[in-house]
Amino acid sequence: AVTSAVQIPPLSFFCLNTILREVEVHKYHPQLINDICRCLQGAQHLLNPILEHLIEKKVITDVALSAFLIPHRTHLDLTNCAHIKKSTLKQIGFNCPSLMALNLSDCQQVSNAVVRGILAGCGLLRELRLDRCRMVTDSAFDPDQSPFHMLVGCQSLENISLQGCNQITGNLAHVLNKTCRHLKALNLAQCKHIAAPSIQSIFQHDHLLRLNLSFSDVISDESFVLLPPSAALTALTPSSCGKLEQLSLGMSSISDLSLTRLAHAYSHSLRSLSLEWCGSITDAGVEVLVQQCTLLEDVNLKACKGLTDASARAIGQCCSHLLRLNLSWCCDITDLGILELTPAKLSACSRLQQLCVMWTQMTGESLGMAGLQALPDLKEVKADGCAGIASQYVSVFEQKGISLII
């Protein structure tokens, strides 16, 4: 009889498990970690998974990290490693020239000098996350502040996240437009000092596709005055607009005026828009938006208190590419508005997959018969807090392959 071959794990597997077990037994004692890293300096096949484990457990030491910084490393995640010295972080730029993605979020010790050192050495860097690194300012990306070393990493950067970096200002827009020409995604959420007029120029970046300015109440209509106010002027000055596909403006102070400018500027590119908790926008602004931006796939209007069924009607008439819609906490949305999204009203939203209507005035009336159940691609309806929706509808929707959450 032929017996199947037994797969024996390699010796390195047993070595790795033994080392990790020993480190855990000694409660990740720093001296033991340092000794292990020194002994395994040339054995990267063992050192890499050990150090990744230490990073995950938030017990990485400076010596261990130094051993991890090798020329062929392409990705490094040091989130919340706030105890690592700045001098060690500066080694990243010198020792990891092939680095493509770096996450230093919640590392409070990160300074402008650390960032510039990384950008000076990592010429292939594409993604840099510095969320809540509160010492970082606009000058971290400014080549004029690095006269002796070119910030070559700026030329390759495609994704920058600076969420919660409160020393970042709107002046960063001018710096990024000049130095990060290939930037595709920028996250400035919760940055409290990015007000107009300086932030306006970020909308003129040629390659920017995704922009997050949410949860910053200094973002107002003044932030968008450089955008053409009408479709006619957009056609005359196409260079004044970028190609934004995704924009988040949650909890900002914008009004319908900004929505109108955005609608005309990005009518042929915008696919995702988040306006949650924007209390100053009304049905009129939403109507202009959806009439112009017909490629929208994801719309978040959560807690926009000025919206009524008229907004739902406009969405149902215009958004033929819509996949996800959030109308939660829009307290004036009723059954009539929800029905505008269904085939019963000849809605254009035939591709809708997810609908959030929590804490609206929707009742069981719009969930019956030819209502939402008739949407062919619908997978989920979140209706928590909607009075009058009986639990029996859950099983009815399940039979249609739709998850109803009440």
Side-chain angles (χ1 to χ4, degrees):
V2 179
T3 58
S4 58
V6 178
Q7 296 292 329
I8 301 176
L11 181 60
S12 59
F13 173 82
F14 295 103
C15 292
L16 178 60
N17 284 344
T18 301
I19 293 171
L20 291 178
R21 186 164 55 249
E22 189 70 14
V23 170
E24 290 176 359
V25 167
H26 288 82
K27 298 182 179 180
Y28 300 100
H29 192 280
Q31 187 58 51
L32 176 60
I33 293 174
N34 293 347
D35 291 342
I36 291 173
C37 291
R38 287 192 182 97
C39 293
L40 297 177
Q41 189 71 43
Q44 292 297 329
H45 63 292
L46 289 176
L47 192 57
N48 286 346
I50 291 173
L51 291 174
E52 289 170 1
H53 177 78
L54 297 178
I55 291 173
E56 180 182 351
K57 296 294 183 179
K58 310 302 181 188
V59 292
I60 188 74
T61 66
D62 287 273
V63 172
L65 180 58
S66 297
F68 197 38
L69 303 179
I70 52 179
H72 65 262
R73 179 153 306 286
T74 59
H75 293 73
L76 185 59
D77 188 345
L78 297 175
T79 302
N80 203 28
C81 292
H83 56 283
I84 297 297
K85 297 177 182 177
K86 287 191 286 187
S87 58
T88 303
L89 295 177
K90 288 180 181 179
Q91 296 177 24
I92 295 174
F94 295 104
N95 298 340
C96 303
S98 300
L99 200 64
M100 299 178 66
L102 174 62
N103 191 343
L104 295 176
S105 296
D106 296 301
C107 292
Q108 301 295 327
Q109 75 279 32
V110 172
S111 64
N112 289 340
V114 170
V115 177
R116 285 197 291 264
I118 292 168
L119 293 175
C122 301
L124 301 177
L125 194 63
R126 294 187 178 180
E127 179 178 348
L128 179 60
R129 301 189 65 88
L130 300 170
D131 299 341
R132 294 167 296 281
C133 293
R134 304 188 187 279
M135 295 173 62
V136 175
T137 71
D138 305 336
S139 65
F141 301 88
D142 191 346
D144 294 337
Q145 301 297 321
S146 182
F148 302 109
H149 301 283
M150 288 186 59
L151 303 183
V152 292
C154 288
Q155 300 173 15
S156 59
L157 271 176
E158 296 180 355
N159 187 344
I160 300 176
S161 183
L162 296 164
Q163 180 170 336
C165 295
N166 285 332
Q167 293 200 59
I168 294 295
T169 73
N171 293 325
L172 180 68
H174 300 288
V175 176
L176 297 182
N177 283 352
K178 179 175 61 176
T179 62
C180 301
R181 300 303 303 164
H182 294 93
L183 189 64
K184 295 180 180 179
L186 177 62
N187 181 7
L188 297 177
Q190 299 175 342
C191 293
K192 302 301 184 181
H193 301 288
I194 55 172
S198 51
I199 193 62
Q200 298 171 3
S201 62
I202 197 62
F203 294 99
Q204 296 177 319
H205 196 289
D206 294 333
H207 298 283
L208 194 63
L209 300 178
R210 299 181 297 278
L211 178 61
N212 189 344
L213 300 175
S214 58
F215 298 96
S216 180
D217 53 9
V218 296
I219 296 297
S220 64
D221 290 335
E222 189 181 359
S223 304
F224 303 90
V225 296
L226 294 184
L227 296 179
S230 67
L233 288 178
T234 300
L236 291 174
T237 58
S239 60
S240 64
C241 310
K243 302 175 183 178
L244 272 184
E245 295 180 358
Q246 181 177 323
L247 179 61
S248 297
L249 296 170
M251 205 173 281
S252 62
S253 303
I254 66 169
S255 70
D256 292 343
L257 179 61
S258 293
L259 280 192
T260 300
R261 289 179 178 273
L262 287 168
H264 294 312
Y266 302 112
S267 60
H268 299 297
S269 63
L270 195 62
R271 297 181 180 274
S272 176
L273 180 62
S274 177
L275 298 169
E276 57 181 330
W277 298 98
C278 291
S280 298
I281 64 173
T282 70
D283 294 328
V286 172
E287 289 172 2
V288 174
L289 174 73
V290 298
Q291 287 169 3
Q292 297 293 322
C293 300
T294 56
L295 298 179
L296 281 169
E297 298 176 356
D298 191 338
V299 176
N300 186 354
L301 299 172
K302 177 182 178 181
C304 293
K305 61 183 180 180
L307 303 187
T308 69
D309 291 338
S311 289
R313 184 181 308 112
I315 292 170
Q317 292 173 349
C318 302
C319 295
S320 59
H321 292 81
L322 194 63
L323 302 177
R324 292 169 294 277
L325 175 62
N326 191 344
L327 295 173
S328 298
W329 294 91
C330 293
C331 299
D332 291 329
I333 297 291
T334 70
D335 290 328
L336 295 177
I338 301 303
L339 283 171
E340 294 290 345
L341 305 173
T342 70
K345 292 291 185 176
L346 302 179
S347 168
C349 301
S350 59
R351 299 183 182 181
L352 192 64
Q353 297 178 3
Q354 183 186 69
L355 176 64
C356 297
V357 286
M358 297 180 291
W359 296 98
T360 62
Q361 294 187 44
M362 187 178 73
T363 68
E365 294 301 321
S366 62
L367 298 174
M369 298 183 293
L372 294 176
Q373 299 175 54
L375 287 169
D377 294 333
L378 191 63
K379 301 298 181 185
E380 182 180 68
V381 177
K382 294 182 179 180
D384 311 60
C386 295
I389 300 180
S391 57
Q392 67 191 48
Y393 283 115
V394 175
S395 57
V396 172
F397 270 63
E398 284 181 349
Q399 294 175 6
K400 298 287 187 178
I402 304 171
S403 173
L404 174 62
I405 302 172
I406 59 174

